[in-house]
Amino acid sequence: MEKRTVLAILLCLAVWIIWFQIVLPWKYPPSTRPPRPKPPDAAPGPEKPPSPPPPGDGTTPPVIAAPPAEEDPPPTIIDDLRRETPHFELVFSNRGARLVRLLFLDYKRSDRSGPLELIRELDPAVPSFAVVPAGGDGSLATRPWKIVTDEPQRLGFQTLWDGWLRITKTFVLETGLSFRVECRFENIRKEADSGTPPMFSYNLMGAAGVEPEPNDAPYLQGVRGKAVGSRIVVAADVPVSNVLDKPRAIPAAEAVRWAGSVNKYFASLVVPRGTDDIESVSFSLITDQNAWADRSKQWAREQGAAPDKKVLQDWLVTSGGGNVQAVLQSRSIPLPPGQTHEASFEVFIGPKSPEVLATFEKEGFIGLLDYGWFGFISKLLLGILALFHALIGNYGWAIVLLTIAVRMAIFPLSKKTQVSMYRMQKLQPKMEALRQRYDKEPQKLQQEMFKLYKEHGANPLSGCLPMLLQLPILIALYWALSLAIELRQAPWISWVTDLSQPDDLGALPIPKFPLLLLFGPEINLTRLHLLPIIMIATWCIQQALTPKSPDPAQAQQQKMMMFMPILFGLLMYWTPSGLILYWLTSTVMGIGEQQLIKKVYLPRAELAPAPVPKT
């Protein structure tokens, strides 16, 4: 093996080591606080996950006042107030007048054991869709409220805050993919204590995170719609890693119109309706308490010590154990004695599919599907994919047909690229002769080179341009398949039962080798994914069939490229099977194109006899 090849491999390995062993530890430093004392003979316990601060301005936690005296005895806690709509099964509680659980009846869990539990109570201290006064009584989010409306499509709660503000919150269920949260604030005092009417502000807490899909951690984030001129633009820039240490406050100047949480395929968004109360938004970290407790026990068994802050943060970011909650914060509102103030909010909970999001055109929800720079091409390809699926009823074969159609569409460009490469290869001996003849006359060498290209119809740049023209199509197809909810739990053949997840043939009897940890904490080879292995084999075959260049420098580059299929195959070992199927089909088509061009088109493009350079 050449020295440069070995050097390149070692350099790639060094980059991975530096990133995971130096950069990440620097970005997420371990906790500096001393360990807590534990009683003798007690098993090591986990460090408590960070609890989000009470809703406030995102910087200074509000003062928690003592619970006010209610006019009536405290209500009994009821945690099982069930309601059902055509799309959802919802469970409410009068503890904080919260939503405890939401089952999406249109979709299945990742293990297909029942309806998708899209919203659940990750942390009892952090409710979904609670309304609390800002900077005041944080206990309103956890203490029982009085049930004042108990109807099939309406569920109303009421409480008293600080002896003067009566808050009534009503969930109004609808037949579509949304429900309403109606709030009524009433000053029950008969006269003011002073000439100035009292002021209040409130926070409406969004869903306490959206249940992650398998391997979905990078897609868990807070999103918001902000006004830009007459349009509403989606900003999806609050992942879990951005709220590890403190909430992320969005300034009022950004003019936020709605906010919420999303994962790869689903969204929960809160939209103010008919009210201008909301002034700003903040995003807070939510920790899955039960999952963290299980992970802590496992860590303690394996390591013999409690996990530190770095372990917790890595787990929150990479495993889906951390989530993001949006909190909509109102302006200060004057409320004279005997007066009321009302606000209404629509809560959308649904799939990130183009058809559904397009129905919220005014709110700009369609911006949640970000296909990148070539989004218009992605949308066109998704339309063609839907057409193929309508014809054959299987998304796997639809991806195969779509890939074949794309390869056929760009075949003229591929043919021009490869013919140009073959022509340049045939010219290599003559070009080398010219270099030796004019090695001390660079200007003359350049003139003779251009003359040689012109006489034989070759162009060193003609192979690059067609390749660049193909890239937008290939990139657009990649993003289209990455975000298509249609592939979720869509089967292809035999063992490929979910095109949105890696294909899985079962466990392998091998341990997690320490060397593999250099590629990340979640990477291991304990599961057998067959499609990536087949893809690596086809890449190697395609590389072996590529014509070898007589030029020593290019030949050295080709030797280095022989290792790239294995490296990229390892990095894509956990890629969803729908994307792997696309790459595999494209590679097989590429091999076929190579042979077709070599046997049919190259004989038509044979070079004329080379001219003899003048002395």
Side-chain angles (χ1 to χ4, degrees), residues 43-46 294-307:
D294 294 340
R295 180 69 181 97
S296 299
K297 292 176 183 177
Q298 179 186 358
W299 181 274
R301 287 195 304 268
E302 295 175 352
Q303 306 296 328

Side-chain angles (χ1 to χ4, degrees), residues 418-436 445-463 547-552 554 602 605-613:
Q418 294 194 40
V419 168
S420 177
M421 290 173 60
Y422 278 108
R423 281 180 171 175
M424 293 300 296
Q425 180 185 357
K426 288 290 186 69
L427 284 178
Q428 283 297 328
K430 301 174 180 60
M431 293 168 63
E432 184 61 28
L434 289 175
R435 290 191 189 98
Q436 294 179 1
L445 174 61
Q446 186 178 19
Q447 294 174 354
E448 292 296 327
M449 285 287 193
F450 279 116
K451 184 178 179 181
L452 183 65
Y453 296 151
K454 184 177 181 180
E455 291 178 354
H456 292 287
N459 187 341
L461 300 180
S462 63
K548 304 300 183 291
S549 173
D551 181 63
Q554 293 189 12
L602 281 183
E606 286 295 329
L607 299 176
V612 178

Side-chain angles (χ1 to χ4, degrees), residues 229-340:
S230 60
R231 299 183 303 118
I232 296 181
V233 178
V234 174
D237 57 356
V238 190
V240 173
S241 58
N242 281 12
V243 291
L244 285 175
D245 297 320
K246 63 179 181 179
R248 166 88 180 276
I250 306 301
E254 194 168 292
V256 174
R257 294 295 181 260
W258 51 261
S261 308
V262 299
N263 65 15
K264 186 175 184 179
Y265 295 127
F266 299 96
S268 173
L269 310 173
V270 180
V271 186
R273 294 299 190 194
T275 178
D276 60 352
D277 288 1
I278 301 306
E279 185 177 57
S280 59
V281 173
S282 67
F283 295 92
S284 301
L285 172 69
I286 309 297
T287 302
D288 189 336
Q289 298 289 332
N290 292 333
W292 173 242
D294 294 340
R295 180 69 181 97
S296 299
K297 292 176 183 177
Q298 179 186 358
W299 181 274
R301 287 195 304 268
E302 295 175 352
Q303 306 296 328
D308 60 14
K309 183 178 180 181
K310 178 182 181 300
V311 174
L312 167 62
Q313 292 182 333
D314 287 343
W315 176 81
L316 289 170
V317 172
T318 62
S319 71
N323 222 305
V324 181
Q325 181 183 46
V327 180
L328 285 74
Q329 302 165 347
S330 81
R331 58 184 172 83
S332 293
I333 302 169
L335 193 63
Q339 299 296 311
T340 62

Side-chain angles (χ1 to χ4, degrees), residues 6 10 93 504 553 584 590 615:
V6 176
L10 293 177
S93 171
D504 196 313
L584 175 59
T615 57

Side-chain angles (χ1 to χ4, degrees), residues 394-410:
N394 183 293
Y395 272 109
W397 291 116
I399 290 175
V400 173
L401 291 179
L402 176 62
T403 310
I404 292 174
V406 170
R407 294 293 306 201
M408 291 178 64
I410 64 177

